[in-house]
Amino acid sequence: AQRVTQPEKLLSVFKGAPVELKCNYSYSGSPELFWYVQYSRQRLQLLLRHISRESIKGFTADLNKGETSFHLKKPFAQEEDSAMYYCAHGFNSGGSNYKLTFGKGTLLTVNP
Amino acid sequence: EAQVTQNPRYLITVTGKKLTVTCSQNMNHEYMSWYRQDPGLGLRQIYYSMNVEVTDKGDVPEGYKVSRKEKRNFPLILESPSPNQTSLYFCASTPAGRGTDTQYFGPGTRLTVL
């Protein structure tokens, strides 16, 4: 079964410090990976996806196929980055069916 | 405004009393899905639908039913709710379920089953 692992439930850093949220996946094919973010009392929203190679709100994530990882990084954390972050993996589950599997999430707290 | 809506937002009910949580999207998306979010377990997919009249089980479908009679609506039905279905539920939609598509999430429905 496809799996997404986020090893850290909680991550706490100080403002201005670098932050890295880890994500590992298990999939033998070409993965489609995403990071979603959920700010307090708000709905989940897409932060970035690996296929776009974009940087959103200062965050970047690089797909490392050798290590099967898709870690989320930001060089200088801000207090407004405090949120729950979910790594997700999309894959074709057979025929034209497409499924999205989420990790268990990492709660990031950026302290002043 | 393009969005996914869910109703109700909060619901407290008792064991065994059938309930339906509605989900509607106004973006003409083909793909819709339901997730439940539980502390320590993250988001788990309950059911998904690739298009009208096409639905399939996700990772935790037991105790739930869905229907997709129209493209815009994807209700979640709990025929006989139990306390272990107390959770935060999210509906989401995607244009066509392609790998590169963004999932648009609803605001969530917090369900408590006593």
Side-chain angles (χ1 to χ4, degrees):
Chain A
Q2 317 308 327
R3 251 203 204 153
V4 177
T5 303
Q6 293 180 250
E8 302 139 330
K9 283 188 180 179
L10 304 169
L11 184 61
S12 182
V13 301
F14 286 103
K15 177 182 171 182
V19 63
E20 180 180 66
L21 291 89
K22 293 185 168 53
C23 172
N24 289 89
Y25 65 92
S26 64
Y27 186 61
S28 56
S30 294
E32 293 167 356
L33 293 155
F34 309 83
W35 276 99
Y36 280 82
V37 61
Q38 187 178 27
Y39 300 103
S40 180
R41 300 184 184 279
Q42 294 187 28
R43 65 186 74 191
L44 275 105
Q45 55 188 288
L46 179 70
L47 180 62
L48 55 80
R49 50 195 151 185
H50 92 273
I51 198 168
S52 301
R53 296 180 175 275
E54 56 205 342
S55 173
I56 304 292
K57 299 185 179 183
F59 284 97
T60 58
D62 291 319
L63 174 62
N64 185 323
K65 289 188 179 181
E67 295 182 358
T68 59
S69 68
F70 188 56
H71 304 328
L72 184 69
K73 299 177 185 177
K74 185 168 183 177
F76 307 104
Q78 303 299 314
E79 289 179 69
E80 55 265 30
D81 296 328
S82 296
M84 179 71 88
Y85 291 81
Y86 289 97
C87 183
H89 169 221
F91 61 96
N92 188 298
S93 63
S96 59
N97 290 345
Y98 180 82
K99 290 184 68 173
L100 196 64
T101 296
F102 285 83
K104 294 184 179 181
T106 297
L107 180 62
L108 173 66
T109 303
V110 181
N111 301 299
Chain B
E1 182 191 351
Q3 59 181 345
V4 179
T5 56
Q6 294 178 227
N7 281 293
R9 296 288 313 279
Y10 302 90
L11 179 60
I12 301 174
T13 189
V14 294
T15 299
K17 187 176 180 182
K18 180 179 178 180
L19 67 91
T20 299
V21 184
T22 64
C23 173
S24 183
Q25 49 92 6
N26 61 1
M27 296 171 279
N28 201 37
H29 285 172
E30 292 183 5
Y31 183 101
M32 297 183 75
S33 57
W34 276 102
Y35 298 88
R36 58 178 290 173
Q37 183 182 36
D38 301 289
L41 297 176
L43 276 142
R44 294 177 292 168
Q45 191 179 52
I46 303 170
Y47 268 95
Y48 64 99
S49 169
M50 298 295 292
N51 213 324
V52 175
E53 302 292 2
V54 181
T55 64
D56 205 353
K57 296 177 181 178
D59 297 318
V60 287
E62 294 78 22
Y64 304 94
K65 284 174 58 178
V66 292
S67 70
R68 188 89 183 275
K69 294 185 169 56
E70 310 163 276
K71 195 181 236 188
R72 64 184 292 124
N73 297 320
F74 189 45
L76 179 70
I77 303 154
L78 284 72
E79 294 270 2
S80 183
S82 61
N84 64 13
Q85 292 177 299
T86 292
S87 187
L88 180 58
Y89 292 86
F90 287 99
C91 179
S93 73
T94 305
R98 289 184 296 265
T100 54
D101 286 342
T102 300
Q103 293 239 344
Y104 294 85
F105 283 86
T109 295
R110 187 167 293 282
L111 172 65
T112 302
V113 183
L114 302 174

